[in-house]
Amino acid sequence: MRKRRRTREGEIERERELWWNPDFSWTRDFTHAYGSEAVLQCREEEESLRDKIRADHERALQEAKEKLRKSRVELQAEIQTEKSKVMEDLKKKDAGPKPLPPVPMPKVVGVSDGEPPEPDVKEKRDKIREMMKHAWDSYRQYGWGHNELKPLAKKGHSTNIFGNSQLGATIVDALDTLYIMGLHEEFKDGQEWIEQNLDFGVNAEVSVFEVNIRFIGGLLAAYYLSGQEVFKLKAVQLAEKLLPAFNTPTGIPWAMVNLKSGVGRNWGWASAGSSILAEFGTLHMEFVHLTYLTGNPAYYQKVMHIRKLLAKMDRPNGLYPNYLNPRTGRWGQHHTSVGGLGDSFYEYLLKAWLMSDKTDTEARKTYDDAIEAIERHLIRKSNGGLTFIGEWKNGHLERKMGHLACFAGGMFALGADGSPDDKAGHYLQLGAEIAHTCHESYDRTVLKLGPEAFKFDSGLEAVAVRQNEKYYILRPEVIETYWYMWRFTHDPKYRQWGWEAAQAIDKYCRVSGGFSGVKDVYSSNPTYDDVQQSFFLAETLKYLYLLFSSDDLMPFESWVFNTEAHPLPVLHLGNITLPGSEPAQR
C-alpha cells in the first residue's frame, strides 16, 4: 500500500514538470499575425495565468499528498464527516426561516364541546364520533404513515396527487376533526407522527391544490385549534416548497410541483397544457394566513396577482372557463362548471371576504358578479321542479350536475347575508332548492347514497345514467350543504337528511378495516372500491358531527372553513395591514 502511494506521488511530480515546460511553439505564428506588442501583452497575461494555475496546482498536489498519507480508517471518517455536514446543510435549508415572527393569535372561540341539549341529537352525535374513531383506529392499525387506507386489503394506499411519498395525508387531514370531537389521545398520536416523520424534502411530484387544501389547511387549522407551534412550522416549510410552482410566464401556478427540485408541470389531460380554475383559484385562504403568520408578503402577493390577472380578462357571458394556459394567459376550451374543475374558485371568493372580517370588498364584488352569471346561464329548473346547476360546454348547457356541485347550496346560504339588491332571501331559498335536489339524488338510489353525477333529461331526473357515474366515494358535499342550511334555518329536515346519509354510510360503507367507497349506489349488493379517502375524516364526518352539535361549536362569526373543511379564524385585522397588501377598505 505504501509503495503504491509513493509511486503515485512520483507520477504527480513528473506531470508537473511536463506541464510547466515553457517551450511553446505557437508564439512564432502568433507574432506574425498580431505583432510583437500583442505577443508581449499576451505573454504577461499568460504568465499571470500560469502563476495562478501553478499555485492552484501546488495546493491540489499538497492536498493529494496529505490525503495519500492517511489511513483507510481516517479517510472513511473524513468522508462520513463531509456526508454529515451536507445532510445538516440540507436539513437547515429544508427547515426554512426560524424563528417565525411573533404575531397576535386570532381569538379562538368555540373549539370544543357544543353538546346539544336534546338527548336524541346527542345520541346521533355520539354515533358520528364512534364512526370517526373506527375510521381513525383502522388507519392507525393498518395504514399508519401512508397517505390513505385500503380498508378491505388492510394496508396503506396512495394516489398520484401525493406523488410517490408517504406523507401521512390522513393524519394531517384528520387532526382538526379529532380535536373538535375531543379525541385528544388520537390527536396527540397524530402530532407525534408529524413531529418525528413528516418530511417535505422528498423527491415527490405533488398536486399544488391538493397539498394546499389538505396539508397546509390541515396544519394551519391544527395550529390555531391547539396552539402547538410544530403545525405552524410544518405548514410554512411546505408552503416554501410550493412557491416554485408560480414560476410561470403569467404567475398562474402549475398544477404539480416536485417538492425537491421545484420543477412544475400541468396535468397531461388538461386542455392544451392549461392550469385549472378550481386549483389555482383555491389558494387564497391559506396563503393569506401564511403571510399573516410569517410576515412574508410573497404568499399574499402570489394570490392577489392571480385575482388581478383574472379581473383583466374577458369572460364569455360573464362566466369563468375552467382552463387557463399559464404560458400564454389565455383561456383554454370554454367549459364552465360549479362542480369539478371550477367549484372552489367561487367558494374562495366568498370566503376571502368573510375571512377578512368582510373588508375584502373586491372579493365580494367578484363573487357576486360570478354568481349572477352562473344564475343566468347555468341554473335551471327541471320538468319535475328540481333546481339544478348544469355545465356550460362550448355554448351549450349540459343538463347534468355532479356531486361536487352540491356544495353550492351551502355556499349560496353562506353568501346570502351581504348580497346586493336585498337578495339575501333569494339566495337562502336557492340554497334550500339545491339541498333538496341533492337529497333527491340520494333518495332515488337503492343505498340512499348519492351518485358521482346525475342527469335531468329524457324523463330521468337526479339519477345517474352512465355506469362510471354511479359510484359514491365517501364524498362530503351534500352533507356540507345540509350543515350550512341547518345553521341558517334550523329546519329539522336537514338533520333528518344528514342522519339518513350517516346511517347509509355506516350500513353500506363500513367494513372491519374502516370505511370504503362503493361502485354502484343503485345496486343492493354493491362492490367496494377499497379506499378510505382522507377527506372522509376531514370533511364528511366533521360536517356530520357539527350538524348534530350546537351552534356555539365553530361559530361562523369566528371561523371560515376551507374547501377541505379545515377551519381558519377570521382575521380581525382592523388597521393592521398584511405585508405586501394595501390597507383594507370597508
Side-chain angles (χ1 to χ4, degrees), residues 12 25 238 275 433 446 461 505 520 524 538 581:
I12 292 171
S25 61
L238 175 56
S275 298
E433 290 176 14
V446 171
E461 296 196 355
I505 291 168
D520 187 349
S524 56
S581 72

Side-chain angles (χ1 to χ4, degrees), residues 164-341:
N164 54 2
S165 295
Q166 294 183 26
L167 296 172
T170 294
I171 298 172
V172 180
D173 236 0
L175 279 173
D176 53 7
T177 307
L178 294 169
Y179 194 93
I180 290 166
M181 290 185 178
L183 295 169
H184 294 300
E185 283 302 313
E186 290 81 355
F187 180 90
K188 187 181 173 189
D189 284 347
Q191 179 178 337
E192 285 178 3
W193 186 90
I194 285 168
E195 287 172 338
Q196 295 165 16
N197 300 287
L198 187 55
D199 175 21
F200 299 121
V202 292
N203 183 20
E205 189 179 54
V206 300
S207 162
V208 174
F209 162 74
E210 294 287 0
V211 163
N212 175 62
I213 65 171
R214 300 192 199 209
F215 283 81
I216 292 180
L219 289 165
L220 290 176
Y223 166 67
Y224 283 121
L225 289 169
S226 71
Q228 296 295 316
E229 288 283 319
V230 62
F231 300 126
K232 178 172 70 171
L233 293 173
K234 290 289 185 183
V236 173
Q237 285 174 17
L238 175 56
E240 288 172 347
K241 299 283 189 181
L242 297 187
L243 285 177
F246 292 82
N247 295 336
T248 66
T250 59
I252 297 292
W254 299 114
M256 291 174 287
V257 70
N258 185 295
L259 293 177
K260 197 171 193 72
S261 68
V263 174
R265 70 180 178 95
N266 275 344
W267 303 109
W269 51 263
S271 172
S274 291
S275 298
I276 295 164
L277 183 69
E279 296 195 340
F280 66 76
T282 308
L283 301 164
H284 192 97
M285 292 179 66
E286 298 81 4
F287 275 45
V288 165
H289 271 276
L290 286 165
T291 284
Y292 175 72
L293 290 172
T294 65
N296 181 354
Y299 303 107
Y300 179 80
Q301 289 168 346
K302 297 289 186 194
V303 290
M304 288 307 294
H305 173 79
I306 293 171
R307 185 191 289 182
K308 286 178 170 56
L309 188 147
L310 291 176
K312 293 176 187 172
M313 296 185 66
D314 289 330
R315 294 181 293 281
N317 296 315
L319 297 169
Y320 289 85
N322 290 341
Y323 299 106
L324 180 62
N325 191 302
R327 291 189 179 89
T328 65
R330 295 195 186 98
W331 297 118
Q333 64 191 65
H334 287 185
H335 174 196
T336 296
S337 170
V338 183
L341 308 180

Side-chain angles (χ1 to χ4, degrees), residues 311-384:
K312 293 176 187 172
M313 296 185 66
D314 289 330
R315 294 181 293 281
N317 296 315
L319 297 169
Y320 289 85
N322 290 341
Y323 299 106
L324 180 62
N325 191 302
R327 291 189 179 89
T328 65
R330 295 195 186 98
W331 297 118
Q333 64 191 65
H334 287 185
H335 174 196
T336 296
S337 170
V338 183
L341 308 180
D343 47 12
S344 47
F345 165 72
Y346 307 101
E347 175 188 359
Y348 269 42
L349 291 175
L350 173 62
K351 289 179 175 179
W353 175 68
L354 292 169
M355 200 180 75
S356 72
D357 198 18
K358 301 182 180 179
T359 60
D360 187 354
T361 52
E362 181 183 66
R364 177 75 216 207
K365 174 73 164 60
T366 308
Y367 168 79
D368 289 332
D369 291 347
I371 296 308
E372 184 184 335
I374 285 166
E375 266 208 274
R376 191 180 311 119
H377 296 288
L378 304 187
I379 296 181
R380 296 288 183 268
K381 192 159 284 213
S382 72
N383 293 335

Side-chain angles (χ1 to χ4, degrees), residues 95-114:
K98 276 190 172 183
L100 293 173
V103 292
M105 184 78 159
K107 192 176 180 184
V108 175
V109 177
V111 299
S112 60
D113 196 23

Side-chain angles (χ1 to χ4, degrees), residues 409-579:
M411 179 179 72
F412 293 141
L414 186 62
D417 185 27
S419 297
D421 307 321
D422 297 320
K423 293 178 77 173
H426 165 74
Y427 282 112
L428 195 61
Q429 177 59 30
L430 181 58
E433 290 176 14
I434 297 297
H436 173 65
T437 297
C438 293
H439 175 256
E440 285 300 306
S441 79
Y442 274 52
D443 203 46
R444 298 179 186 192
T445 71
V446 171
L447 304 186
K448 305 302 178 188
L449 292 169
E452 182 70 3
F454 40 96
K455 293 220 167 187
F456 295 87
D457 56 18
S458 306
L460 291 172
E461 296 196 355
V463 173
V465 176
R466 295 179 179 173
Q467 189 59 42
N468 64 358
E469 294 175 340
K470 294 181 179 180
Y471 59 86
Y472 173 71
I473 57 170
L474 307 172
R475 285 203 188 278
E477 291 78 21
V478 174
I479 294 164
E480 175 183 354
T481 279
Y482 294 165
W483 175 56
Y484 279 107
M485 292 308 303
W486 164 257
R487 278 278 177 105
F488 287 112
T489 70
H490 282 180
D491 186 327
K493 75 182 177 188
Y494 295 115
R495 277 185 167 170
Q496 178 193 331
W497 291 353
W499 184 239
E500 288 172 8
Q503 286 180 302
I505 291 168
D506 200 52
K507 182 174 181 180
Y508 295 111
C509 299
R510 184 173 185 141
V511 294
S512 64
F515 289 87
S516 169
V518 290
K519 293 182 179 179
D520 187 349
V521 293
Y522 301 96
S523 167
S524 56
N525 188 27
T527 54
Y528 296 109
D529 67 9
D530 197 17
V531 179
Q532 180 175 282
Q533 306 277 352
S534 80
F535 58 67
F536 178 64
L537 293 83
E539 301 184 73
T540 312
L541 292 172
K542 184 186 287 122
Y543 286 133
L544 280 168
Y545 187 80
L546 291 169
L547 179 60
F548 297 107
S549 298
S550 60
D551 291 359
D552 57 2
L553 181 61
M554 311 307 295
F556 288 159
E557 298 77 28
S558 301
W559 298 95
V560 183
F561 286 71
N562 88 338
T563 198
E564 189 80 1
H566 295 308
L568 298 175
V570 171
L571 292 175
H572 301 281
L573 295 173
N575 295 322
I576 301 171
T577 305
L578 284 173

